[in-house]
Amino acid sequence: MLDTRFKSFSRRVRLETLEMIQRSKSSHIGACLSLVDILSVLYLGILKIFPNDALNPNRDRCIISKGHAAAAVYATLAEIGYFNKNELATYCRNGSYLTGHLNHKVPGVDFSTGSLGHGLSVGCGIAILEKRENQGFNTFVISSDGDLNEGSTWEGIMFAAHHKLSNLIMIVDYNRSQALGNSDKIINLETLESKFKAFNWLVKVVDGHNHISIYNALISCKKCKECKPKVLIANTIKGKGITFMENELLWHYKNPIGEHYHKAKKELEFDLCEQQ
Ligand SMILES: Cc1ncc(C[n+]2csc(CCOP(=O)(O)OP(=O)(O)O)c2C)c(N)n1
Ligand SMILES: [Mg+2]
């Protein structure tokens, strides 16, 4: 049941994201598609959120450090009810708050990102205050290969372990690809799992497109009583869901127009019909 809800949510968000990026002639479709399944599980099944009262102080915080995947995040937030889906049509238009990189003025966005390497440090700050004041919420940070190439992220990784921030859960959208090449050719992160363990984090590795695996891993992170920050390394595929985009670097920046758009839409719509 839950699995069906995640699947259907992801499919709608993928389709919405394609429309937004195509219409605005913007970039980052591959990055968005990589993240969609993680977002679906988080927003539908894990986060304590209040879409009608977005700034409720009891909410879990969610900082998405790969802010270039804004289209998928806005589509998710609209689906979940933070704002009207019609607003998605203004994505990347002059004057719209739905900017091409994440904007905290949008209901549901906790922190503006886009310049990689900032999310974890901010997440650490929020988590340490929560721990001191026992406010009763968790902080989630979504990271990526490029985000982990930034020195500030590793400062956060050390800081979180030192301060035993057990209320901090990081998710790495680990598609092993970046803007201009594969991660192993840019700055190799392997072996990422053992690095986090050496920094004294609790580590879980999952298939980042298997909703139930992501869900179970996050539930167990939330329940875990160990005094350590937790990280979920989610193995993902850039461009996931549109076959000709999967693992194709081109789709980091390229906008899907004409033939490409129609082919992509057909595949996603077929998926939606299959499911009904
Ligand atoms: C500090 C900084 N340097 C460079 C960029 C330009 N840039 C945009 S996305 C990206 C890399 C994307 O790869 P990754 O972080 O792994 O995310 P993915 O798109 O694979 O999900 C880069 C280098 C940036 N946003 N911030
Ligand atoms: Mg990547």
Side-chain angles (χ1 to χ4, degrees), residues 144-146 173 175-178 183 238:
S144 59
D145 312 71
D173 179 350
N175 53 35
R176 296 166 200 251
S177 170
Q178 302 190 25
S183 300
K238 207 151 166 171

Side-chain angles (χ1 to χ4, degrees), residues 134-234:
N134 199 16
Q135 295 163 327
F137 63 82
N138 286 305
T139 299
F140 293 76
V141 174
I142 298 182
S143 185
S144 59
D145 312 71
D147 197 48
L148 281 160
N149 281 175
E150 301 289 340
S152 50
T153 302
W154 290 94
E155 230 180 296
I157 291 169
M158 288 190 288
F159 182 94
H162 177 84
H163 290 283
K164 300 186 169 53
L165 299 182
S166 51
N167 54 354
L168 181 73
I169 301 173
M170 183 174 181
I171 303 169
V172 181
D173 179 350
Y174 195 30
N175 53 35
R176 296 166 200 251
S177 170
Q178 302 190 25
L180 300 172
N182 288 345
S183 300
D184 61 354
K185 300 282 183 314
I186 298 170
I187 295 183
N188 193 1
L189 290 161
E190 282 301 298
T191 50
L192 192 56
E193 183 180 357
S194 56
K195 282 189 176 66
F196 271 106
K197 282 184 177 156
F199 279 85
N200 212 17
W201 281 55
L202 186 128
V203 189
K204 289 185 182 291
V205 182
V206 292
D207 171 350
H209 301 298
N210 182 322
H211 297 112
I212 294 301
S213 302
I214 304 170
Y215 179 77
N216 288 338
L218 287 173
I219 291 286
S220 101
C221 284
K222 276 178 70 165
K223 284 187 181 154
C224 172
K225 294 278 175 269
E226 264 195 83
C227 285
K228 287 180 177 184
K230 288 110 187 171
V231 61
L232 193 67
I233 299 175

Side-chain angles (χ1 to χ4, degrees), residues 1 12 16 24 26 54-55 66 79 90 100 105 114-115 151 159 163 165 169 171 195 203 212 236 245 250 267:
M1 181 65 187
R12 290 198 304 276
E16 203 65 73
S24 59
S26 61
L55 294 176
K66 47 171 276 186
E79 268 300 328
T90 71
K105 292 186 179 151
S115 179
F159 182 94
H163 290 283
L165 299 182
I169 301 173
I171 303 169
K195 282 189 176 66
V203 189
I212 294 301
T236 50
M245 292 187 186
L250 190 68
E267 184 173 355

